[in-house]
Amino acid sequence: EVQLVESGGGLVQPGGSLRLSCATSGFTFATYSMSWVRQAPGKGLEWVANIRQDGNEKYYVDSVKGRFTISRDNAKNSLYLLMNTLRADDTAVYFCARESPDMSTIFFDYWGQGSLVTVSS
Amino acid sequence: SYVLTQPPSVSVAPGETATITCGGNNIGGKSVHWYQQKPGQAPVLVVYDDTARPSGIPERFSGSNSGNTATLTISRAKAGDEADYYCQVWDSRSVHLHVLFGGGTKLTVL
């Protein structure tokens, strides 16, 4: 059974930092690209960042470029998101999502349960 | 930048057919994927590549895509289908990776 379990969320002050983790099991992690997707309270889904299987290619939505860093440890079957210089509008539930292996498009076939990040003083 | 437009809400009577649209410029040339999200839960993939269903998703869920509109159709709607539904595409025109979601449609079964 494929499982994605996020952790590391919480309350942080504006300008602070937080590191999210996503522990995975039930599939060969090293062979899948992975993404983080967030959802602000009462709002829709927003893709945040993506990392390829070997970790050598990473992409970010413009609003987090230079502040967030996505990474992975294939030996530990884990995905990470380091968030620096956090702002109030980063407040959201952050989902870890597995990308489909379809090379012609990108969609997410498995999701974690989400981790809430609240940026507030 | 590319924009996906969904109606904020759709209502359907139990047993009837619900249609949720996702508009975008020449979206028929892209692969469209659909997610169902119930309150407090993670999204669930219900249709991918315009028309395909993941295993475990009922045949009542179907998709189509042509021109400037992609459509998710839910036949014989049930109370358990009440949820937010999101369309999603990959905008491959840019050198940057752009994964885009529509704004979401709240489906009410009443």
Side-chain angles (χ1 to χ4, degrees):
Chain A
E1 179 190 8
V2 172
Q3 289 194 325
L4 308 172
V5 180
E6 301 93 337
S7 60
L11 175 63
V12 60
Q13 292 187 339
S17 298
L18 211 56
R19 187 197 194 210
L20 301 181
S21 299
C22 173
T24 74
S25 61
F27 66 102
T28 306
F29 179 73
T31 64
Y32 286 85
S33 294
M34 299 291 295
S35 277
W36 289 97
V37 177
R38 68 183 178 183
Q39 186 171 36
K43 302 298 184 182
L45 301 171
E46 179 185 38
W47 172 79
V48 174
N50 153 277
I51 186 167
R52 298 301 193 199
Q53 291 92 328
D54 60 6
N56 288 336
E57 289 186 56
K58 306 174 185 181
Y59 299 91
Y60 301 89
V61 68
D62 286 347
S63 59
V64 307
K65 283 180 183 176
R67 301 188 300 121
F68 289 14
T69 302
I70 189 172
S71 62
R72 64 191 296 159
D73 186 334
N74 287 344
K76 295 183 177 180
N77 297 323
S78 293
L79 177 72
Y80 307 99
L81 185 67
L82 176 61
M83 302 181 291
N84 293 325
T85 320
L86 282 161
R87 312 184 306 218
D89 62 357
D90 294 317
T91 294
V93 173
Y94 286 74
F95 296 99
C96 159
R98 189 182 87 167
E99 295 183 18
S100 73
D102 186 342
M103 297 301 290
S104 67
T105 184
I106 293 176
F107 61 90
F108 308 108
D109 55 2
Y110 286 93
W111 298 64
Q113 85 288 350
S115 183
L116 176 62
V117 173
T118 303
V119 184
S120 175
S121 55
Chain B
S1 63
Y2 198 77
V3 175
L4 298 174
T5 302
Q6 296 183 238
S9 63
V10 167
S11 297
V12 64
E16 297 301 310
T17 298
T19 300
I20 299 173
T21 59
C22 177
N25 185 33
N26 194 28
I27 196 173
K30 300 181 182 298
S31 291
V32 179
H33 320 294
W34 292 91
Y35 303 88
Q36 176 194 69
Q37 186 181 33
K38 296 182 179 180
Q41 298 184 18
V44 173
L45 180 70
V46 293
V47 167
Y48 66 95
D49 288 348
D50 298 338
T51 61
R53 271 188 317 277
S55 61
I57 300 301
E59 292 183 4
R60 300 186 299 105
F61 289 82
S62 62
S64 63
N65 185 17
S66 179
N68 293 319
T69 305
T71 302
L72 175 69
T73 301
I74 306 171
S75 304
R76 302 181 299 283
K78 301 180 177 181
D81 298 332
E82 278 206 347
D84 294 325
Y85 290 85
Y86 295 90
C87 59
Q88 177 250 310
V89 301
W90 170 43
D91 184 11
S92 58
R93 295 173 300 171
S94 172
V95 296
H96 304 290
L97 186 146
H98 282 149
V99 175
L100 302 171
F101 289 94
T105 298
K106 181 177 182 60
L107 177 68
T108 301
V109 181
L110 43 64

